[in-house]
Amino acid sequence: MILTQILLQTNTQVSDFALFLGRFHPLLVHLPIGFLIVIVILELLRIAGKINFEQNTIKYILSITAISATIACIAGYFLSLEGGYNEEILEEHKWQGIWLAVFSWLAYLSKLQFIKDRIPFTNALYAPSLVFANLMMFIAGHHGGNLTHGETYLTENTPQPFRNWLGIAPKEEKNTDGGLPKISNVNEAMVFQDVIKPIFKNKCEQCHNANKMKGDLRMDTIELLKKGGEHGAVFVAGKAEESELIKRMLLPESNDDHMPPKGKTQPTEQEISLIRWWIDNGAPFDKKVSELTQPEEIKPILSLLGGGLTETLASTIQQVKQDKFDLEEKLLSQNVAAASESSIAELKKNGALILPFAQNSNFLEISFINNR
């Protein structure tokens, strides 16, 4: 009863303590996997006559395997309470993990002498239990990978000859230049399908797809992207600065609400600019690049999509970046008094996001981007 109150809040939401324990599942799940593989290797070497060892050795390893598998199942259950996973695959993965633990316990119990003395044919349980535990390990591991990385994670880097033999579609070419897609004729390209969709695919869909739906959000289909997630729509057509998608991308990477999460590949400035441009133009899904208004700051980025910039334009952009850097350096060299706590408090009261501009400097970066 006390444990239930600790793990579940009165409003039926999962407690932070349970979610904290759940995050250990990816770490704990590797313990039974490693031990099962060690047991199989030892048994195969014993059968081949290469080594000899006390059966107590296997018994102790099996006890650790069964216990760690059980703890991993519990942590996995807590992790599943966060939601955002494909329910069908999650259910299969859950039962595969449970059966892995059950067969590990059966293999362990079959090695206990007092069990052998009381139950005939106990020895006959050992080999089948070990085989089925390993079988569940491979299947559960595969489904766990699908839940975390998507269904194509295992096969997406398959070499081309094998792709042909296995009937897998040709591998999509990855792009350089900050991850921007390459388009032969930019003006005739479809804005969403050819420009925006590849950005979402590379930076967002890993956590927002059919198998993993963080925040109940899927971005792999147009219909579900429009629908949004648990907090509603992720973009406001025509108003990029009011769109949750843009707000979260612009938050500091250390912020828990920043998207993509810290540690994931982050969108470049050009990619964020393209997404803003698309949203400000009404977030169309059926228009070409040539049909949208193209501000001056977007034209160089669109040129990158078409195969690169002219030397003059590239030089100009580089010079602008250098001038910006020089200006910042000049400003930071000036001595300014620290802002008063009352001024900062007043700004925050009005919805300002205030961050230090640089280390060992009194300059502040102030933004009202998330002010509603």
Side-chain angles (χ1 to χ4, degrees):
M1 181 66 179
I2 296 176
L3 180 61
T4 303
Q5 291 176 342
I6 292 175
L7 297 178
L8 297 177
Q9 299 173 346
T10 55
N11 61 356
T12 72
Q13 290 184 342
V14 187
S15 73
D16 289 340
F17 184 70
L19 297 179
F20 170 74
L21 293 178
R23 293 297 177 92
F24 285 90
H25 175 70
L27 172 65
L28 295 169
V29 78
H30 289 89
L31 295 176
I33 291 174
F35 288 128
L36 280 172
I37 292 174
V38 167
I39 293 170
V40 170
I41 292 173
L42 290 176
E43 291 292 7
L44 290 176
L45 290 174
R46 180 183 65 80
I47 293 171
K50 301 294 183 181
I51 61 172
N52 207 357
F53 51 82
E54 293 288 335
Q55 284 301 301
N56 276 341
T57 302
I58 293 294
K59 181 177 72 175
Y60 291 135
I61 298 176
L62 279 170
S63 67
I64 299 173
T65 303
I67 293 171
S68 61
T70 303
I71 295 174
C73 284
I74 295 171
Y77 170 71
F78 290 146
L79 182 61
S80 72
L81 296 179
E82 289 190 22
Y85 296 98
N86 180 292
E87 292 295 332
E88 183 179 348
I89 297 180
L90 178 63
E91 188 71 10
E92 293 177 2
H93 179 65
K94 179 181 74 175
W95 282 106
Q96 289 152 3
I98 291 173
W99 279 114
L100 187 157
V102 169
F103 285 123
S104 296
W105 279 110
L106 286 176
Y108 166 67
L109 293 174
S110 70
K111 289 292 183 181
L112 297 180
Q113 190 59 49
F114 78 90
I115 296 291
K116 294 179 181 180
D117 294 339
R118 289 165 175 75
I119 303 176
F121 313 114
T122 301
N123 281 335
L125 284 175
Y126 175 65
S129 296
L130 188 60
V131 169
F132 280 111
N134 277 273
L135 180 63
M136 290 297 102
M137 175 187 73
F138 284 108
I139 298 175
H142 175 62
H143 278 162
N146 285 352
L147 285 171
T148 305
H149 303 291
E151 291 184 351
T152 62
Y153 179 73
L154 189 64
T155 59
E156 67 180 353
N157 289 320
T158 304
Q160 192 54 50
F162 295 102
R163 300 182 84 90
N164 294 335
W165 300 337
L166 298 172
I168 302 174
K171 185 179 178 180
E172 293 182 9
E173 292 296 329
K174 292 187 177 180
N175 301 295
T176 56
D177 296 324
L180 295 174
K182 289 301 182 189
I183 303 171
S184 57
N185 189 340
V186 177
N187 284 326
E188 291 301 308
M190 300 302 294
V191 178
F192 178 77
Q193 193 62 37
D194 299 324
V195 179
I196 304 302
K197 174 69 173 174
I199 300 174
F200 288 163
K201 183 176 179 62
N202 291 332
K203 307 295 168 67
C204 306
E205 288 185 20
Q206 184 177 348
C207 294
H208 302 287
N209 57 65
N211 296 319
K212 189 176 183 181
M213 295 166 280
K214 286 297 183 181
D216 291 332
L217 172 64
R218 280 182 60 179
M219 301 180 69
D220 54 331
T221 71
I222 291 175
E223 292 74 18
L224 294 173
L225 176 61
K226 288 179 178 179
K227 179 182 177 183
E230 62 183 357
H231 298 298
V234 295
F235 64 86
V236 181
K239 299 178 180 179
E241 303 307 320
E242 296 182 16
S243 298
E244 196 67 24
L245 180 64
I246 297 297
K247 290 180 181 180
R248 291 186 177 238
M249 285 182 173
L250 295 178
L251 287 171
E253 197 170 337
S254 58
N255 191 301
D256 290 340
D257 291 330
H258 173 82
M259 292 295 161
K262 185 177 181 180
K264 300 289 185 182
T265 305
Q266 299 297 312
T268 63
E269 289 183 20
Q270 293 98 328
E271 289 172 332
I272 295 176
S273 295
L274 286 170
I275 297 171
R276 272 174 154 165
W277 168 65
W278 170 66
I279 295 176
D280 279 335
N281 274 274
F285 292 90
D286 57 354
K287 289 188 177 182
K288 297 179 180 179
V289 170
S290 59
E291 297 179 80
L292 270 59
T293 303
Q294 297 177 17
E296 289 302 316
E297 64 270 18
I298 286 296
K299 290 180 180 179
I301 304 176
L302 293 175
S303 296
L304 279 172
L305 302 180
L309 302 170
T310 64
E311 291 185 10
T312 303
L313 186 54
S315 176
T316 302
I317 291 175
Q318 185 61 38
Q319 186 60 49
V320 170
K321 288 183 177 179
Q322 185 62 45
D323 290 343
K324 179 183 177 184
F325 176 78
D326 291 341
L327 179 60
E328 289 179 355
E329 287 291 303
K330 185 176 180 180
L331 285 173
L332 291 175
S333 66
Q334 305 296 315
N335 291 322
V336 296
S340 66
E341 292 186 6
S342 59
S343 298
I344 293 176
E346 186 65 25
L347 286 169
K348 287 183 176 180
K349 183 180 177 181
N350 287 284
L353 175 65
I354 303 176
L355 298 169
F357 190 78
Q359 271 190 325
N360 304 319
S361 171
N362 289 329
F363 281 96
L364 299 174
E365 182 179 350
I366 303 174
S367 172
F368 286 89
I369 187 68
N370 288 331
N371 189 20
R372 296 181 179 179

